[in-house]
Amino acid sequence: MAGASAPPPRRRHAVLMVSDFFYPNFGGVENHIYQLSQCLLDAGHKVVVLTHAYGDTGGVRYLTNGLKVYYLYRRPIHAQSTMPTWVGAFRVLRLVLLRERITLLHAHQAFSTLGAEALLHARTMGYRAVFTDHSLFGFADAASIATNKLLKGVLADASAVVCVSHTSRENTVLRAGLHPADVSVIPNAVDASEFGPAPGRPWPRRAGEPVTVVALSRLVYRKGVDLLALVIPELCHRHPHINWVIGGDGPKRALLEAMVADEGLAGRVRLAGAIPHERAREFLLQGHIFVNASLTEAFCMAIVEAASAGLLVVSTRVGGVPEARRAAPPRRAAAAPPRRAAAPPRAARAASAPAPAERAARRAWAQVLPPDVLLLAEPGPEDLLAALEEGLARVTALDPHAQHARVAAMYSWPNVAARTAAVYDAAMAAPDSQDALLARLRRFRRVGAWAGLVFVAIALALHWFWRLLEWQQPAAGVEAAPDWPRAAAAAAPGEGGGGGDGGGGGGGAAAPQPQGQGQRRRGGQQPQQPDTGQAQQLDGGQARRYDLRTRRRPER
């Protein structure tokens, strides 16, 4: 329209994702970081990942779409979490931030020590930092108390906090002493293209036809394996046409093996062992009903993947699982007040609340997993058994392909990326006064009587260590690394990226190859793989190498 002003361009971010958990290790956090990074790249942002080395996978690697990954040589001590060093990674992190021209750091997972350290280091250098929590923690045992106090200190300096479910937000708010309005909720998503129903697959349409129930999880206590061991024999005795396939491995496998032997179910219950993620769809398509018996979950991605594959889902009503039946649509584009500002008075918060019409629209928004797709049960054998029997009665009327189309439209990684980019925008728009050393020390002091003093001392030590690094090697003298060549249509700085419901491009990306090996780009160009422990950059047409372990450039 003539005379109409163009909408203001979206900010282009250069993001450093940091966590102890990334490929070739596999899990929910690793998949979240990878899929979010790919969609942010498609939206025109720059994304680099920093994690620790996994075996021979070290140095710098390129994954699909030019996603650059720095694998630092730090030794994991427990469940892939590395030894905390406080200043051990500061020098390398500073070089990565400067060389890659990063504008914002995004740390993931509460028990990632590398992520916690990187957040504090980045804030010391004046960068804005976002934190995403993916898990639920307790409050009573000594380990939880120590972890929660550490989390409270780290998040006191975060520019923005994101959780994957409302239950996770409540848990994080209580653990870290945050205001609920300061924590955003952005659910996980699923790459529907990887979890589709098999075309032409026979489906039970009459009562009494064979039905297979599948379960896929780690065989540990919190995943409800003891509950399954009570429910499986009873359901098999009541319904002779029911078979079970259980995927996964862990210490509770012996319990299931004993149950199968004692109940004489060797021909009807099969333990498939550990299932690699690239075979998850193939495994799910063996069944018609998927059961999740977990006793605690922040947000169970397995139930969304199973629903996308066309299975009827039965799950315990725990943690963030019920939110799959009442998830809210994306919030308004208006950014929340900066987290560092004083909490607004009650009247101001009420004035900024959504209007009644908007609240009604949010309630009417299509549920992510409607009741005809997800059946919930209390975490007890009787309730779970009743839900499974209800699922047996419903499964004959289910249309797997129609269900897949619904789930694909409801959970989308581009939408997650667009909402995350909005959080980045709000973090970058916060006043610069929150980055001042005195303001940071005041926030740390409020962490606790003794813990506050400890964090104040750590912040001061990190500040002077950063000043020492600046004196030894000024930021202006750090050589910038070349960016991965993007398509001609990629957004230039200050343009494109993160906008719209689609966020830009595709419904997610295929998982990278194991061991961090690079994959062929869409245009057919194969990214070059540098040697382990060395980052390769192009400098005036000549290859030069930088050793991450010694931080020295060898002689030519």
Side-chain angles (χ1 to χ4, degrees), residues 80-124:
Q80 296 302 331
S81 292
T82 53
M83 173 73 74
T85 61
W86 293 113
V87 297
F90 201 157
R91 187 188 301 269
V92 175
L93 176 70
R94 174 176 174 270
L95 290 176
V96 172
L97 290 170
L98 295 175
R99 282 172 47 80
E100 301 294 342
R101 301 182 296 280
I102 298 299
T103 59
L104 181 141
L105 182 138
H106 191 167
H108 292 262
Q109 190 59 304
F111 47 86
S112 170
T113 55
L114 179 61
E117 291 180 20
L119 191 148
L120 291 177
H121 298 340
R123 295 294 296 131
T124 299

Side-chain angles (χ1 to χ4, degrees), residues 21-92:
F21 311 102
F22 194 65
Y23 295 123
N25 194 53
F26 195 85
V29 178
E30 293 85 344
N31 187 59
H32 179 102
I33 296 174
Y34 177 77
Q35 298 287 0
L36 175 60
S37 299
Q38 289 293 337
C39 289
L40 288 173
L41 287 171
D42 287 338
H45 304 283
K46 175 180 178 178
V47 183
V48 179
V49 178
L50 179 71
T51 185
H52 68 77
Y54 284 86
D56 294 335
T57 305
V60 177
R61 303 293 179 100
Y62 286 92
L63 303 184
T64 305
N65 209 18
L67 176 61
K68 190 175 185 179
V69 185
Y70 285 83
Y71 289 96
L72 301 187
Y73 289 91
R74 287 170 53 123
R75 185 181 301 276
I77 58 173
H78 176 70
Q80 296 302 331
S81 292
T82 53
M83 173 73 74
T85 61
W86 293 113
V87 297
F90 201 157
R91 187 188 301 269
V92 175

Side-chain angles (χ1 to χ4, degrees), residues 123-124 126-128 159 431-437 439-440 443:
R123 295 294 296 131
T124 299
Y127 288 89
R128 301 296 164 85
S159 306
D432 294 337
S433 58
Q434 72 176 29
D435 300 330
L437 176 61
R440 297 179 63 234
R443 294 195 297 271

